[in-house]
Each structure stands twice: as C-alpha cells, then as structure tokens.
Amino acid sequence: MERKTLTRRDLFRVGGGIAASGMLPLPSFAEGISAKPLAPGRLGRIDYSKAKAVPTICFGCTTHCGVVGWVENGRVRRIDGNPLDPNSKGNICSKAQGMISYTYYPERLLYPLRRVGKRGEGKWKRVPWDEALGEIAEKMRPLREAGTPEEFVFHYGRDKTKGYTKRFTNAFGTPNRLNRRSICSSNRRAPLMSFYGREFEWESQDFENTQYIVNFGGNPMEAYQGGLYMMHRIQHARVDKGARMVTFEVRPSATASVSDEYYPIMPGTDGAVAFAMIHVILKEGLENAEFWNRWANYPLDDLRGDVAEYTPEWAEEKSGVPADDIRRIAIEFAKAAPACCTMSNRGSAKHYNGVQSDRAIRTLDVLVGNVGKPGGFCLSSLRGWAGRYGQEGLPKLSQPGPKASDPMPWGLGEGFNEDAFRKLPEEVQERVNAFPEFWRKKYFGELATPSEYPLAWHWYQMRVGQLVYPYIKESRQKVSVYMSFTLGASYGYPEANLAREVLADEELIPFHVAVDISYSEQAALADIILPEATSLERWDHHSTNNYGLVPYTGVRQPLVKPLGQSRSIQDILRDLARRIGGGMEEYFAFDDMEGFYREWYQNLPISWEDFKQRGIWMDETREKDYELYERPLTEAELADTSVDSETGIITQKESGKAVGIVKDGKSIRGFDTPSRTIGVYDEIWPIAAKAVGLPLDDVNASPVAVYDTVPEHRDLPEDRYIFTTFKWNVHTQGRSAHWKYHSEIVHTNPVFMHPDTGAKLGLKEGDTIKLTVFRPKGHTYRSGEEGAMGAFENHVRFLKGVHPRVMACSHHVGHFEQGSVAKAENRKSAPEQGIDSESKAFKDADIPDKLWWSREKNGIGGGVHINDALPINPCPLTGGQNWYDNVCSIEKV
Amino acid sequence: MSVASKKCNPPAGEDSVAPVYALLGELLSREIDEGLLAILRLTEVKEILARVEPDVAPVLEEIWDEARFEEHSVEFCRLFIYPGDCLPIAGKWTGNAEDETFSVRRWFLEEGASPDLAKHLAELSDTHVAKILAIRAGLTGVSEEVMGGYENEMIHPWRSAFAKRLSECAQLPVYRAVAGILDALE
C-alpha cells in the first residue's frame, strides 16, 4: 500500500478527534509567550549585568583549578579562572571550557538505562530511578546479608569525592574499592613515599623562587597533575627571574619546547642521567654534606661508592645525552642550590626501572640540600585537612559523620576475615601467611591488595588496576555485583580487549552497573547505566597541594541543576545505601547535599555564604611550608612520648607511632618516615622482593637506588623501536574525545617518529604503517611469554626532536563509543586485534559538514584505538604499569 | 518563576492542530504506554497514521503484551536516547546540535520564566524537539502572528530533516508514522 500525503484538513480531523477524546489535555502559555524571540540567532553575548558568576572547581582534568562559571538563564555560558585560587591564580586551560562541552553534549547520558538483550548488544530502554536503584539494591543486599560483601566491587576511574565513595563501600563492608592509580602514578608516588613518608606522595617544588629546574620527562604544559599550577610559575621564573629549565624527554613535548635546553633521551634511561649527575656532583665536591648527613639515612661515602661507575660517559652510552652536557648541567644544578629542583613524572617512572630512576632523581635533591628550601624541592600539605603532618593549625575539615570503619583485613586469627581469606587460592594464602605482620594487617584480598605487589599497598592502597580483569578471569575473587564509576578500562587499560572480554562475561560478572556522564566503552558493557551529574552540577570538597606552599581549600558547587534525570554520585550512593538498608542508611542520614558540605566546612573561619561566594579559602597569614621537617614539636605533641636514645626518634608511648626526632637537642618533626629521616636507604624494597620471590638482583629489589637497563631494551635489535604514548594539552585521558572543540583541535593520533628514522624505514609522511608491540620481559604479568602482543595500523608523522628509537602516539582518540563526536571517522585497528570502529557517525546531520579533517575532504582522518595492542605490564612490587617500555616493530602497509 | 498555565481543550475548529503537536510531543519525549497507545488507536489518529505508514495499522490493531511495549521502549531509546540515531535536538537537524536558536526559553517574557509543562517534558533540554512541539500545542489563544512566528522560527527549520531521518532509521512502523505526521505539518 502506498504512503499518502496528508492535508491540513487531515490534521484538523486528527486534532479534533484527540481533543474530543479528552485523553490529552493541552497546556496554555498564552500569557507568558513573547511576541517574538527575545534574542535573535545563536545565544547572544553574555549580559554580564544579569549573568551570575559562581565559583567552583574545574574537573576538566585532575589538576582541579579554581574557576568561575558564568550562568545566564539557567545555562553555563563561560568558564573563567578564579583569581582567588592561590594555585592557579586565575589561569585556566582549554579543558575548563570542556566542562561546558560535556555538560551540554547532546548525546550525554541523562536517564537510567536498562539493557535489553545480550550484554554489549547495545539495546537499552529507559527505566525510572526507583526501578534502577531497586534492582541494584536487590542484587547487593543478599551479599551483605550472607557475609560476602567483598563480592561487590566498586571500580572508579576518577573519584575526587574525597572519601564519599569510601563511605559507601565501607558501610557496605567491601574492601574492593578499586582505582586506576597503577595505570597512572604508582611508580612516581612509591619513591616519594619511600623517601619522605606517606603524607608526601606528591611534591610541591617552589617554582616561584627556583633558579634551575632539571625535568626528567615531566610535561606540565600538557599533562601533569598540577601542571597548570606549575607552568605559570615556571614561566614567570624563567622569563622574569632568569631561571633555567633543562628537559630530558623522548619527544619534543610542549614543555620541552619551552625549556632552555631539551635533550631527546632513550626511554628508560632517565635514571642513568640522574646517577651520572650524582657522580659529577660528588666528584666536584658540590654536595651539601651538612644537609645530607643531617637528614639522609645513608652514608655519603656509600653513595659515592654506589655511583663510582655511573660516569657521564657511561650515561651518554645509555641515554644518548652528551656526557659534557650531563657534566655541565650537574654542576649548574648544584651551584644553584638550594634554589634548584628536579621534576619527574610518568616519563621517568613508567618503566621497569622507573622506581629506581625516580629514587635517583629524588637523591639529587637531597644531595644538594634543596629539600624544603626556597626555590627547592618542597613538600606541602596534600589531601584533606584532618590535622596531618604539615596541617597543624589548619581548621579541621572532615566529612560529616558517622562514617563506617574499614572492613577487617583478610587472614587467619582473631580480628581477621577468615571466611574471605579461605576462599583465596592456596598459593595466595601461603604467600600472605608468610608476610610480615605489618602487611598481614593491611591485606584485603587480591583485587584491593594483590599479594604479588605488596608495595602497591604498603603505604596505602594504590591497587593494581590493570590486573583486576585477569584476576577476575582467574577466579582470584568472585564478583557478583560490579560497579564502574567514570571508568574507561574497556578503552584505556592495557589489553583493553581483556577488560571487555571479562565485562561481557555474565558468569564472571553477573551484574554490572556503570555510572558515567557519557556512553563510554565501559557503559556499553553494563546491565544498568546510571547518568551522573557533571562537575558543573554537583558538590565536592577540594584540597590539594599548593605550589605556593600555603595550604588552601575550595568547594565545587553546582552552577546549574543536573540536566535531564542525571544525579550526582553522592545522591546516587546515598539513595542506594538507603535502599540496601541493613544499617547502611545510618551513614547516609542527610537529604540536603548542600547541608552535608556546609557541615564539612563548618570549622572555616568564614561563613558558608562567604565561602560559596569566594570558592576558595586560605589563611593568608600562614607561613609557607618551607622546611616542615625542622619545625619544633609542640608541648601537646610531646606529651606521653619517649625518645630512643640511639636514633633520637620520638614515639608516642600508647600508639607506638613515631612523631618526631631529636636533632641537636631539639625535638622537631623530621620526615614522615619510620626513621624520621629521608629514606634514601629503604629496606622495604628487598623485604618486598623476598616476600614475593623476586630475585634480589632485580633492579626493583634494591634498598638504594641503582640502575639497570629495562629488560626488553637490552641488546635492542636495530629493527626494533620503543613505543611510547603521550597526552595532548587539549585532552584528558580517554574522557574528552566527545568534547567537540577539543576534538576539532586534536582528532587523530598519528605515530610520530624522527624523519631520519622514517627515511631508514623507507617511509614518507602520511604513509600507513602496521605497528606491532611485543610482550615485555622481566618479572611481570605473563612473564616468559614471547612474541607479538598486538598490533594496530596508523599513519606516520615526522617530527625532528623525537628520539630516533622512539615511536610516539597519543591515546585520547580512536573511540568506538562516546557518541558521534568521539567516534567520528575512527578507523579499525588491525584486523586481528581490537574493534571494528566504523560508526554511523557520518550519517549524523551535525558532524559531516563540520568534519573538515575528514579524509573525504582530503583531511588527515580520525583516530585509532591502540590500547588493545599494549600489554599488561605491572612493575614488580609496586604494580605501576610500565607504559613506556613497549618494544615494537614497524612495517609499511 | 513559572508562567501561569491552564490546561484545557480548545473549542472545536480553533487551532485544532494543537493536539497533533501535543501528541507528537508525547511520542518524542516518552515511551508508549497504555495511555499513549489508546490515543494512537483513536479512529481518526489510526487512520491518519496508516495513511502515512500502512504497516502501522496491524500493529495498532493487535493486543500489546509486555514484550511489545518493551520492543517499542527499546526502539524509543535507540532512536532518541542512546545511541540516538535520530537525536531529538532541534539544532542537530540544521547543522549544529548546540545551536541555541531553538531554545524555547527565548520565547518567554520574563527572565527565568519557564513553561509549566509535565515533568517528563520540563526536564528535557530547551532545544528538545518534543518540548518545542509541546509548547506549540499550548499556544492556543495567542495571535496568529505569534503562532506563525513560533512555527517558522522554532519548528519548520528542522522539521523535515528530522522527519526524514526518523523515517529512514525507525525500525518500527509507529515511529515511521510519527515521521510522516511531522512531515505533514506545514
């Protein structure tokens, strides 16, 4: 039967029929409607006389700058920096505007969805919140009632609720609150904590006053936790005060590009350069022996012996950095002390030898005595304001109570969860039973505290996120309910295909709930999706280290109501806790989220309204956190303590906790380590090695920093290269590909190589190559397996300044979910790996005309998903992912 | 501040197209339930739907069990929520999904005023086609000039492109029929 057109009369008849039925009452707006639209065309200029400025905290990346959002007619129109933020000082980057992009993304998740059909099939229906939470609670409650709460796994990508999600998981009773720290920064935190103690897992160099910076692979211009805070200070120091920055990097990053000197360095050899610098400083007599002898727990002569063979010439052979330059830089650095500092992050740390490289780099600062000094390597207060080291005198800020206690550790004996422990594989039980006592009390099963990686949880639980899916597959932990929160494992973890395989398996993961703002690759494999409010729509507590060295706090507050039916994670977990019941509701007895946060900040010396208006609070009269370790202990702190006559360590009698040290007859704070000195020498590394059977000659087992070449880089054949990933300044991880303007700037991820390397390979710019990654060597996951891990095809770009043995590629783009912008013209990865990422995006009315980079328009095309080809490669002991060790081959396609 | 509203049915002959806009607004903003199905089964409605999409007739004739309702819910989600093959955002169909030209807010006199709509419509974005259509349904009593201005500015620029896309990608006849009705509004 052919389709017929309708006339106006037909429509009248239909309308009349509906009206007569009375089944569809009509609203009436005659009184409110304008005669013509109030503003023509697109949103006009912001009327600042009417728009409201609301301070909040950015969430474009993990730096969390203070910002101000302009809200007009219920819509956020623009983001500016908050000049009251002492860290960012009103500066922002493009990612701040990304918050507007992701809040108003047309394909944003706005409703709870329940899957229909097979998991991963992509068929959904909307369900009311009541129904969604009800179903989740029905699945979770029995676990708690049966005494197996550990079968609930909460796995987050970026939390930043400062303990609110832990409130939920503790109240539920599960220790399995997992994260992706090992994917990120475990290997740079572990050396810091080994040297300076738990409280200083992140440093705060005094860039404002420094004269010389040696940067080992850090890239604050583009991607570094606190990057923006650092860069404006670094640039002012360089431009206004003549400070110098030397960067060792594998490619000419944006930071390298603004450095005074840039040296392309062989990946994994930052430690060699650092050791050579130590060698030179000692040889030239430029060390600060007084500082070292006072604070380092290792004899200077022993250090001298350790580095005797680490000459600049030796380092040049390893790294490619000219020996004379290493020598000169070392001398310049030492002579600038104490107004000098090192900087390092993933570039140096994410290697098999990365922990030791960073320990060598940290040694440099101790050697020249710049620690805690003006212009030097400083340590400032970090998370929360609960009165920790360095937070003395600050108003105490803590989540309103009551808060549930941590679950019991797993083990045998009183005070241990024996039931959960006995379900572990025998070999795991044996290993754990043999642990020293101080670890047995911290062990909570293989997902939260993997026994093969004790330094992933020795200081606190950093976890080994990339092993979660293999461990679930190996049945090391039974999972009944799995909740992903802003997690991108299915896209961004190494061997992401394994994550997808496990998530798709309804026997391994019977029930999966995903909480997110966009339909991610992770959400695609859920049973229920819960739409989260964005950072412009929610509350959070904010505190982080200040590179201005005075602690401050801020508040993230909603600028607008959550769109659609989205809810904040705080609301979601509160409501879920109440439905689960069984006592959980006691910890969530608040309805008003603003009231909850008001109570959190109640000890601030300003009113809540004033604080909301400012967005930030800091005690302007407080001293900078220079030399925290030399601060005298107060009388109250000294009460009921004893002093070890040999070591001078001051210990609380009741708790046995070390609180200070006596130096020159004075009771002072010292460092937050067991010895209250700087842990240049730390027994924990060989202790951990012995506990897990790692040979003591492995580089990671050494109690002091040593150098060894990354196993798979030894005798690297000429036709093999090292594949490294990197981040662009307009993107953040895999979260930002659906931010339209950011993807317009960076929408593809070619493989960058040096033009000479390209010539050697017979390539020209734009050629397509197949890049094959090989299994890692060393003591790691699937040790001993050889051969190709995976491959992908991509096009080539030449860039002078890339180390000739390096292939560099970013990982932000190449999505196969996250909506039309993120998926735009992405190409398949190699046929045997990955996902066919062809999408219907080209049929999107909005995109094609704007897709100026399209190959159809003779542009460069979209991105390639690479993570399926990258091996799970946790560093021994810490579990930090060795992202930058990958050996690859190149084949022209 | 909410604009005062009255829920009413217009006298016959006056803006009789308004209920059609209202129905389209409902069909594009929520899943078909018993109530909406009953409206679709009204003689006049069924006849017109079948005119533009012959395959819809037998679907409306049969008894809908839970599976049939769910089938339509899944289709609704696929088309309009995620993956949103026919994303119901007005600007998307004129080349820019974030174009605020089609924000219904621009038509309300007082700053902060918002149309008094049912919850499932009120929570939609201000450029959602269902909201735009629902407000047109409520313009009874305004001058022809205002009504015409609203239709020309807010509906006609995106209507055909959206209807075309909907008719191409809808897998169930009800939604193809919706496309046909929408296309007929001139």
Side-chain angles (χ1 to χ4, degrees):
Chain A
M1 202 189 303
E2 65 180 60
R3 292 180 174 79
K4 295 182 182 166
T5 54
L6 300 180
T7 64
R8 193 81 178 159
R9 193 170 168 177
D10 291 325
L11 295 173
F12 285 158
R13 201 151 56 81
V14 171
I18 296 172
S21 75
M23 292 163 94
L24 192 58
L26 304 178
S28 171
F29 308 113
E31 288 175 26
I33 198 94
S34 170
K36 53 185 175 184
L38 295 174
R42 295 194 61 156
L43 280 173
R45 289 172 180 268
I46 300 170
D47 182 349
Y48 287 102
S49 68
K50 292 182 180 163
K52 198 173 163 212
V54 184
T56 188
I57 305 293
C58 185
F59 211 143
C61 75
T62 189
T63 293
H64 291 232
C65 302
V67 294
V68 172
W70 289 94
V71 182
E72 188 180 33
N73 286 328
R75 187 179 172 100
V76 183
R77 299 288 310 281
R78 173 184 159 155
I79 305 288
D80 280 337
N82 185 348
L84 297 178
D85 184 323
N87 235 338
S88 56
K89 296 194 178 181
N91 291 291
I92 55 172
C93 76
S94 72
K95 294 193 285 291
Q97 308 301 339
M99 293 197 288
I100 296 181
S101 288
Y102 65 58
T103 297
Y104 298 109
Y105 187 42
E107 292 161 85
R108 178 185 156 187
L109 291 171
L110 294 177
Y111 306 97
L113 301 177
R114 178 80 180 73
R115 78 166 159 100
V116 176
K118 284 201 298 209
R119 188 185 287 172
E121 203 179 330
K123 286 190 181 166
W124 300 90
K125 65 175 184 180
R126 283 197 306 184
V127 290
W129 270 101
D130 270 354
E131 189 179 317
L133 292 177
E135 184 176 350
I136 299 167
E138 288 302 308
K139 294 275 199 297
M140 288 181 67
R141 193 183 305 110
L143 303 179
R144 203 160 174 266
E145 288 170 351
T148 56
E150 70 276 3
E151 291 180 21
F152 167 58
V153 172
F154 181 85
H155 196 169
Y156 66 87
R158 187 164 285 166
D159 186 0
K160 301 298 184 186
T161 63
K162 295 286 198 261
Y164 189 94
T165 58
K166 190 174 181 186
R167 185 187 198 96
F168 180 86
T169 54
N170 275 3
F172 190 80
T174 180
N176 289 319
R177 184 173 157 270
L178 311 178
N179 64 13
R180 51 107 193 87
R181 178 128 298 156
S182 58
I183 306 286
C184 181
S185 53
S186 297
N187 269 15
R188 57 105 67 223
R189 293 180 195 260
L192 274 167
M193 292 189 285
S194 178
F195 264 51
Y196 298 114
R198 165 69 181 99
E199 292 305 320
F200 298 107
E201 60 175 321
W202 208 268
E203 76 284 4
S204 314
Q205 295 92 332
D206 186 17
F207 292 116
E208 281 174 17
N209 297 299
T210 200
Q211 283 297 303
Y212 205 97
I213 304 164
V214 179
N215 172 24
F216 292 91
N219 189 13
M221 279 287 264
E222 291 182 279
Y224 193 116
Q225 184 168 316
L228 189 137
Y229 307 149
M230 300 159 67
M231 271 322 295
H232 72 88
R233 288 180 166 86
I234 290 173
Q235 289 298 75
H236 280 303
R238 289 182 59 245
V239 171
D240 299 331
K241 300 180 187 173
R244 283 186 74 75
M245 181 160 71
V246 175
T247 291
F248 302 105
E249 248 285 17
V250 302
R251 62 170 194 114
S253 65
T255 303
S257 304
V258 299
S259 299
D260 297 285
E261 295 177 53
Y262 158 57
Y263 297 90
I265 190 171
M266 180 68 172
T269 64
D270 306 79
V273 173
F275 279 118
M277 286 178 64
I278 295 169
H279 173 103
V280 168
I281 290 170
L282 287 169
K283 191 169 176 194
E284 299 291 325
L286 293 172
E287 72 276 13
N288 185 330
E290 187 188 340
F291 183 88
W292 181 277
N293 293 329
R294 183 175 173 81
W295 287 115
N297 69 345
Y298 190 61
L300 202 52
D301 283 341
D302 286 5
L303 179 68
R304 216 181 294 274
D306 292 343
V307 300
E309 291 179 10
Y310 293 155
T311 63
E313 287 70 22
W314 164 86
E316 178 177 351
E317 200 188 308
K318 296 282 178 195
S319 66
V321 180
D324 286 344
D325 288 315
I326 294 175
R327 195 169 277 115
R328 172 184 53 79
I329 290 164
I331 292 169
E332 287 173 358
F333 174 76
K335 284 188 172 174
C340 66
C341 57
T342 61
M343 181 161 73
S344 69
N345 202 332
R346 287 153 182 65
S348 56
K350 296 184 100 60
H351 297 281
Y352 192 89
N353 63 5
V355 165
Q356 299 298 6
S357 289
D358 264 37
R359 290 175 80 196
I361 294 165
R362 300 288 84 88
T363 301
L364 274 168
D365 295 297
V366 184
L367 189 62
V368 301
N370 69 21
V371 178
K373 303 285 174 64
F377 188 88
C378 293
L379 304 162
S380 184
S381 174
L382 283 177
R383 66 219 156 79
W385 280 12
R388 297 188 182 91
Y389 185 137
Q391 298 178 355
E392 300 79 11
L394 289 174
K396 262 204 178 162
L397 303 179
S398 56
Q399 275 193 61
K403 296 194 288 283
S405 334
D406 290 342
M408 277 199 299
W410 295 15
L412 300 176
E414 198 180 318
F416 288 91
N417 184 340
E418 293 197 350
D419 290 340
F421 185 74
R422 287 187 199 285
K423 291 178 196 167
L424 294 166
E426 284 293 329
E427 67 164 289
V428 171
Q429 293 187 43
E430 277 173 28
R431 185 183 303 125
V432 174
N433 283 335
F435 275 166
E437 189 62 24
F438 56 81
W439 280 347
R440 291 188 59 237
K441 289 181 188 169
K442 294 184 187 185
Y443 180 73
F444 291 91
E446 290 294 282
L447 295 187
T449 52
S451 55
E452 288 172 290
Y453 300 89
L455 298 189
W457 43 275
H458 167 68
W459 295 279
Y460 74 103
Q461 284 184 22
M462 297 196 284
R463 296 88 166 183
V464 185
Q466 69 271 41
L467 286 177
V468 166
Y469 301 105
Y471 280 7
I472 291 173
K473 189 173 178 184
E474 292 165 17
S475 302
R476 292 204 200 193
Q477 171 65 53
K478 183 180 173 196
V479 177
S480 294
V481 177
Y482 181 89
M483 186 178 282
S484 306
F485 172 44
T486 64
L487 182 64
S490 300
Y491 169 84
Y493 271 28
E495 295 186 50
N497 49 322
L498 176 58
R500 295 194 299 277
E501 179 195 320
V502 170
L503 284 164
D505 189 324
E506 294 184 50
E507 294 203 10
L508 290 175
I509 297 188
F511 191 65
H512 176 201
V513 178
V515 183
D516 213 325
I517 63 171
S518 70
Y519 187 87
S520 60
E521 289 81 2
Q522 193 84 359
L525 293 167
D527 299 309
I528 288 184
I529 296 176
L530 299 179
E532 199 209 348
T534 72
S535 52
L536 296 179
E537 301 164 339
R538 72 183 239 198
W539 295 94
D540 276 310
H541 165 74
H542 172 62
S543 58
T544 190
N545 58 314
N546 180 3
Y547 286 86
L549 300 177
V550 177
Y552 75 105
T553 187
V555 65
R556 176 175 291 117
Q557 58 184 312
L559 274 59
V560 289
K561 286 189 189 151
L563 287 188
Q565 293 181 9
S566 64
R567 294 187 184 179
S568 68
I569 186 64
Q570 291 94 332
D571 283 337
I572 293 171
L573 294 181
R574 177 201 58 204
D575 294 346
L576 183 56
R578 289 175 177 181
R579 280 170 186 274
I580 294 170
M584 276 191 83
E585 66 277 12
E586 288 169 27
Y587 304 105
F588 294 90
F590 44 86
D591 288 320
D592 170 28
M593 207 49 76
E594 178 172 351
F596 178 81
Y597 282 91
R598 182 171 52 237
E599 198 177 324
W600 195 320
Y601 288 98
Q602 64 183 339
N603 291 331
L604 284 184
I606 57 172
S607 72
W608 175 240
E609 291 307 315
D610 282 348
F611 183 49
K612 281 198 300 175
Q613 226 176 4
R614 294 172 54 88
I616 298 285
W617 183 80
M618 182 175 83
D619 177 359
E620 309 271 348
T621 65
R622 190 177 171 88
E623 279 179 21
K624 288 197 174 200
D625 282 341
Y626 290 131
E627 295 180 277
L628 283 174
Y629 47 90
E630 293 283 3
R631 288 189 186 171
L633 291 173
T634 63
E635 271 188 36
E637 286 166 330
L638 284 167
D640 290 323
T641 57
S642 60
V643 180
D644 184 309
S645 55
E646 212 174 292
T647 62
I649 296 176
I650 304 169
T651 308
Q652 281 176 348
K653 284 180 189 163
E654 196 180 321
S655 65
K657 189 181 165 211
V659 295
I661 190 165
V662 175
K663 291 276 185 194
D664 304 327
K666 292 182 190 153
S667 298
I668 57 176
R669 205 167 305 285
F671 291 88
D672 188 36
T673 56
S675 67
R676 305 308 289 186
T677 57
I678 299 174
V680 174
Y681 180 95
D682 193 346
E683 277 288 342
I684 203 64
W685 301 91
I687 288 172
K690 278 186 209 147
V692 303
L694 181 71
L696 290 177
D697 61 358
D698 186 281
V699 67
N700 290 285
S702 175
V704 286
V706 293
Y707 184 80
D708 197 5
T709 305
V710 172
E712 51 266 41
H713 298 177
R714 292 171 195 151
D715 305 315
L716 193 68
E718 279 302 309
D719 64 347
R720 294 286 188 259
Y721 299 88
I722 297 170
F723 178 68
T724 194
T725 55
F726 68 88
K727 298 174 188 170
W728 289 102
N729 56 0
V730 294
H731 280 299
T732 180
Q733 313 293 5
R735 299 169 202 283
S736 52
H738 63 287
W739 305 0
K740 195 153 83 167
Y741 301 112
H742 297 72
S743 274
E744 181 168 33
I745 297 169
V746 173
H747 41 262
T748 189
N749 59 341
V751 175
F752 286 93
M753 64 177 73
H754 195 284
D756 292 349
T757 308
K760 192 170 135 195
L761 289 165
L763 297 170
K764 50 183 198 313
E765 180 127 321
D767 277 353
T768 300
I769 55 166
K770 178 178 172 180
L771 190 150
T772 301
V773 179
F774 296 92
R775 280 255 166 231
K777 297 181 181 172
H779 299 277
T780 186
Y781 174 67
R782 294 171 72 167
S783 254
E785 288 187 34
E786 297 200 351
M789 163 61 223
F792 59 87
E793 292 179 7
N794 208 335
H795 62 279
V796 162
R797 289 288 300 275
F798 293 151
L799 185 61
K800 284 186 185 174
V802 177
H803 190 281
R805 299 304 294 276
V806 165
M807 301 287 155
C809 182
S810 77
H811 62 291
H812 305 293
V813 295
H815 282 271
F816 37 98
E817 296 295 354
Q818 300 251 12
S820 53
V821 171
K823 293 191 286 186
E825 208 183 62
N826 288 334
R827 293 188 290 125
K828 289 185 210 189
S829 45
E832 66 272 20
Q833 296 288 341
I835 296 286
D836 180 343
S837 58
E838 281 180 21
S839 81
K840 295 189 278 272
F842 277 125
K843 299 199 176 50
D844 186 298
D846 191 19
I847 295 294
D849 284 348
K850 307 279 192 299
L851 207 66
W852 53 264
W853 58 91
S854 155
R855 283 175 178 262
E856 283 185 10
K857 297 180 191 298
N858 297 317
I860 202 163
V864 173
H865 179 238
I866 62 174
N867 282 56
D868 286 1
L870 304 182
I872 293 172
N873 186 4
C875 194
L877 308 183
T878 61
Q881 173 68 13
N882 302 327
W883 282 113
Y884 304 147
D885 282 347
N886 295 309
V887 171
C888 68
S889 66
I890 302 292
E891 208 180 301
K892 184 173 174 180
V893 172
Chain B
M1 171 182 135
S2 210
V3 174
S5 69
K6 306 177 286 209
K7 292 193 171 34
C8 62
N9 287 317
E14 290 188 14
D15 194 17
S16 293
V17 190
V20 178
Y21 282 104
L23 178 61
L24 289 170
E26 292 298 306
L27 288 165
L28 293 169
S29 64
R30 64 185 176 96
E31 295 81 350
I32 297 173
D33 59 8
E34 297 277 7
L36 264 184
L37 183 60
I39 298 174
L40 292 175
R41 282 173 170 161
L42 290 170
T43 305
E44 295 87 346
V45 179
K46 196 167 57 177
E47 188 192 312
I48 293 303
L49 290 175
R51 189 101 69 80
V52 292
E53 176 49 57
D55 290 343
V56 82
V59 173
L60 293 177
E61 292 293 332
E62 66 191 26
I63 295 172
W64 281 34
D65 58 10
E66 203 177 305
R68 187 53 66 116
F69 276 107
E70 184 172 88
E71 182 191 24
H72 283 76
S73 295
V74 172
E75 175 74 340
F76 175 88
C77 189
R78 185 184 71 80
L79 289 168
F80 307 129
I81 307 291
Y82 204 88
D85 284 351
C86 193
L87 206 66
I89 302 296
K92 189 166 181 65
W93 307 100
T94 59
N96 182 357
E98 287 157 39
D99 190 346
E100 285 293 297
T101 301
F102 303 104
S103 169
V104 297
R105 253 174 225 276
R106 294 175 51 230
W107 288 85
F108 287 84
L109 281 171
E110 291 182 38
E111 192 179 302
S114 57
D116 190 9
L117 290 167
K119 186 170 179 290
H120 66 280
L121 287 163
E123 70 189 9
L124 299 175
S125 99
D126 285 342
T127 61
H128 195 289
V129 302
K131 199 171 202 175
I132 294 170
L133 293 167
I135 288 180
R136 167 56 186 88
L139 293 187
T140 303
V142 305
S143 67
E144 271 193 38
E145 189 194 349
V146 173
M147 195 181 293
Y150 185 89
E151 287 177 5
N152 288 334
E153 289 250 358
M154 295 291 283
I155 298 176
H156 295 321
W158 54 263
R159 185 180 49 79
S160 292
F162 177 76
K164 180 170 185 287
R165 173 69 178 158
L166 182 56
S167 74
E168 283 167 359
C169 66
Q171 290 170 3
L172 298 182
V174 169
Y175 288 103
R176 287 199 294 272
V178 169
I181 302 290
L182 190 55
D183 200 39
L185 293 170
E186 289 181 30

